[in-house]
């Protein structure tokens, strides 16, 4: 194996929210630290984004999916090329791609498991359009080893936050929310706590025709319906033991529409209650699965949810008072680009053939090198 050296890596990520392709030019060091040089949030063209949502809804043909694999690859390379124009070519691009389906359930057909995951955004298109070696397809190898294929960011959390020598929960709040548990007592593990911004975004679009509840203003003006919140909290996902992951296949538009039948009539109260739900399910996951055997000093929030002060206030209210609530910014890491930076690190490990999955987080049977290289 080559001797490890610092490398310039562009991490590319678009999450379940599909709000933007996050492109982060990073310097990645052999000790696994990652320094952000510059990040950009590159918006999908409107019709491409609409088509992705059509795929999410199960209303796309095989032709659509085939075409979108290449079209999204082009979008990802456009995002990378903005950084390349300013800074020159990096050593490596590392692309998560766009998840269009994630299915960790062990259903069977002819006794063959149907567990699977699908991220599109063809890496050969990215490699050819940028002229850069491109790492991609990180989730498949973990799943092939019986893992959930997620959360993968635990690997970066372990490298970046374990040196604090504290017991911390690293909480990402994207479309879906996931937590990484880093403590002195246990090996690092993690799981998806459930909804993040998906349901909030969906209802803000439906009732207010805006893309999201900027700065939590609508939620702050509404009143939480305790009745509806109690009903929403009954969902079976929240009671399942980790390791567990979820996505838009479960928390689908139909799911949200079904739950809306029992919602309060005032749209702002709906947004307030869904914002409280995300906070409550996060804290309940801690109470059910983490607090019983780990004492926690801090919760460190990242992802778009960290920018919603109403959501952050709910989390603070529900958390035990001795636990401090912080964001990644408190540790000099961008909330916005944290996941793209984490994928820069995962790709760096792919390049050097270093195992970069965490079986404690995903349930995979062993460690392995995630990611494939295209040039
Ligand atoms: N200023 C803000 N106020 C409220 N919510 C925000 C703000 N910025 C981002 N968000 C929320 O965060 C989401 C994007 O979060 P992100 O971490 O990118 O998720 P994903 O990984 O699913 O793409 C947006 O859809 C929105 O709901
Ligand atoms: Mg995003």
């Amino acid at each position: 194996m080559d001797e490890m050296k610092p490398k310039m890596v562009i991490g590319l990520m678009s999450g379940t929210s599909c709000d933007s392709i996050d492109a982060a030019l990073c310097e990645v060091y052999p000790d696994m630290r990652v320094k952000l040089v510059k990040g950009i949030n590159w918006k999908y063209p409107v019709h491409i984004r609409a088509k992705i949502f059509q795929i999410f809804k199960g209303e796309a043909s095989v032709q659509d999916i085939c075409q979108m694999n290449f079209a999204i690859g082009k979008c990802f390379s456009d995002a990378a090329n903005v950084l390349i124009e300013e800074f020159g070519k990096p050593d490596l691009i590392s692309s998560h791609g766009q998840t269009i389906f994630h299915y960790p359930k062990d259903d069977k057909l002819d006794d063959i498991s149907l567990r699977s995951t699908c991220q599109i955004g063809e890496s050969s298109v990215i490699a050819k359009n940028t002229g850069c070696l491109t790492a991609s397809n990180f989730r498949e190898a973990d799943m092939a080893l019986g893992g959930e294929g997620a959360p993968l960011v635990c690997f970066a959390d372990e490298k970046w936050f374990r040196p604090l020598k504290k017991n911390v929960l690293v909480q990402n709040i994207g479309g879906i929310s996931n937590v990484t548990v880093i403590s002195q007592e246990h090996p690092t593990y993690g799981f998806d706590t459930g909804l993040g911004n998906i349901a909030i975004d969906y209802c803000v679009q439906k009732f207010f025709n805006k893309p999201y509840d900027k700065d939590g203003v609508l939620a702050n003006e509404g009143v939480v319906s305790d009745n509806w919140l109690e009903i929403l909290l009954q969902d079976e996902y929240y009671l399942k033991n980790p390791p567990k992951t979820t996505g838009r296949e479960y928390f689908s538009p139909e799911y949200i529409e079904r739950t809306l039948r029992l919602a309060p009539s005032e749209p702002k109260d709906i947004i307030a209650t869904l914002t409280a739900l995300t906070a409550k399910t996060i804290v309940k996951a801690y109470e059910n699965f983490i607090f019983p055997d780990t004492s926690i000093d801090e919760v460190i929030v990242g992802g778009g949810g960290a920018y919603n002060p109403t959501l952050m206030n709910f989390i603070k209210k529900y958390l035990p008072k001795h636990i401090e609530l912080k964001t990644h910014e408190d540790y000099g890491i961008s909330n916005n680009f944290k996941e793209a930076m984490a994928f820069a690190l995962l790709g760096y490990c792919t390049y050097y053939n270093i195992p970069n999955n965490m079986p404690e987080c995903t349930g995979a049977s062993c460690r392995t090198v995630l990611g494939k290289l295209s040039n």
Side-chain angles (χ1 to χ4, degrees):
M1 196 203 298
D2 300 354
E3 191 199 337
M4 286 170 69
K5 296 200 177 77
K7 296 256 177 223
M8 298 306 292
V9 185
I10 294 179
L12 297 174
M13 171 77 203
S14 175
T16 43
S17 302
C18 221
D19 56 317
S20 69
I21 299 167
D22 307 328
L25 175 66
C26 304
E27 181 145 25
V28 184
Y29 302 96
D31 65 1
M32 306 282 148
R33 279 177 308 119
V34 175
K35 194 179 107 198
L36 179 68
V37 177
K38 182 167 180 179
I40 57 164
N41 296 119
W42 198 91
K43 298 283 174 207
Y44 277 119
V46 282
H47 296 101
I48 298 274
R49 186 166 190 268
K51 192 62 109 178
I52 297 171
F53 277 85
Q54 214 178 314
I55 296 176
F56 288 156
K57 279 198 229 147
E59 291 169 0
S61 63
V62 176
Q63 175 178 328
D64 289 327
I65 293 169
C66 178
Q67 293 172 341
M68 288 304 285
N69 182 35
F70 275 58
I72 291 173
K74 172 70 166 63
C75 295
F76 272 57
S77 65
D78 287 346
N81 277 332
V82 173
L83 291 170
I84 291 170
E85 260 167 43
E86 189 175 345
F87 296 93
K89 281 188 196 177
D91 300 300
L92 179 73
I93 289 178
S94 180
S95 172
H96 170 268
Q98 178 68 55
T99 297
I100 56 164
F101 214 78
H102 180 69
Y103 199 82
K105 258 170 69 183
D106 200 18
D107 295 349
K108 294 206 162 67
L109 184 66
D110 285 340
D111 215 30
I112 293 173
S113 174
L114 297 175
R115 298 172 66 260
S116 53
T117 188
C118 187
Q119 287 73 43
I120 61 172
E122 178 51 48
S123 55
S124 293
V125 173
I126 301 174
K128 298 303 178 199
N129 276 329
T130 58
C132 298
L133 182 66
T134 301
S136 68
N137 299 82
F138 291 94
R139 300 195 188 271
E140 289 89 333
D142 185 86
M143 259 207 168
L145 288 168
E148 298 264 326
L152 299 187
V153 171
C154 296
F155 180 80
D157 290 336
E158 161 81 6
K159 302 292 178 204
W160 300 343
F161 293 107
R162 180 160 295 280
L164 294 177
K165 295 199 165 30
K166 290 183 189 171
N167 286 5
V168 299
L169 301 179
V170 186
Q171 180 69 53
N172 183 62
I173 310 179
I176 295 291
S177 297
N178 56 281
V179 66
T180 306
V181 186
I182 298 174
S183 74
Q184 308 308 302
E185 293 99 318
H186 305 288
T188 292
Y189 70 100
F191 58 93
D192 286 354
T193 53
L195 278 172
N197 293 298
I198 285 180
I200 303 170
D201 286 359
Y202 181 90
C203 291
V204 170
Q205 280 154 33
K206 180 180 169 95
F207 296 112
F208 298 94
N209 203 21
K210 291 180 185 166
Y212 63 99
D213 183 16
K214 187 156 174 34
D215 303 331
V217 170
L218 295 167
N220 191 42
E221 288 171 359
V223 178
V224 173
S225 158
D226 290 329
N227 276 344
W228 192 43
L229 183 58
E230 272 313 308
I231 295 168
L232 294 169
L233 286 168
Q234 302 305 317
D235 187 89
E236 62 181 31
Y237 181 79
Y238 304 123
L239 307 172
K240 241 173 86 176
N241 282 320
K244 57 178 180 177
T245 57
T246 188
R248 279 192 186 271
E249 306 70 33
Y250 187 79
F251 292 110
S252 61
E254 296 76 50
Y255 178 98
I256 301 167
E257 286 292 342
R258 207 165 49 239
T259 60
L260 279 174
R261 286 185 211 142
L262 297 171
S265 54
E266 179 57 51
K268 281 183 183 167
D269 297 350
I270 293 177
I271 307 305
T273 309
L274 290 173
T275 305
L277 175 71
T278 291
K280 193 90 189 174
T281 51
I282 287 171
V283 176
K284 267 192 174 284
Y286 302 167
E287 288 168 354
N288 290 340
F289 307 117
I290 301 170
F291 292 161
D293 64 359
T294 314
S295 63
I296 295 298
D297 305 313
E298 288 181 8
V299 174
I300 306 169
V301 179
Y307 298 113
N308 182 334
T310 310
L311 176 59
M312 291 296 283
N313 282 337
F314 279 129
I315 297 174
K316 202 179 173 93
K317 184 172 127 189
Y318 298 142
L319 268 182
K321 294 292 155 270
H322 67 276
I323 299 180
E324 276 194 79
L325 184 63
K326 295 191 170 170
T327 77
H328 283 58
E329 312 279 351
D330 293 313
Y331 290 101
I333 300 171
S334 161
N335 292 326
N336 192 346
F337 293 107
K338 185 262 170 105
E339 288 214 307
M341 291 165 67
F343 276 91
L345 176 63
L346 290 173
Y348 179 86
C349 293
T350 310
Y351 179 85
Y352 281 114
N353 217 23
I354 297 167
N356 50 1
N357 71 329
M358 293 205 67
E360 303 83 353
C361 299
T362 62
S365 57
C366 62
R367 301 203 68 188
T368 192
V369 180
L370 306 176
K372 301 170 188 170
L373 294 170
S374 306
N375 55 23

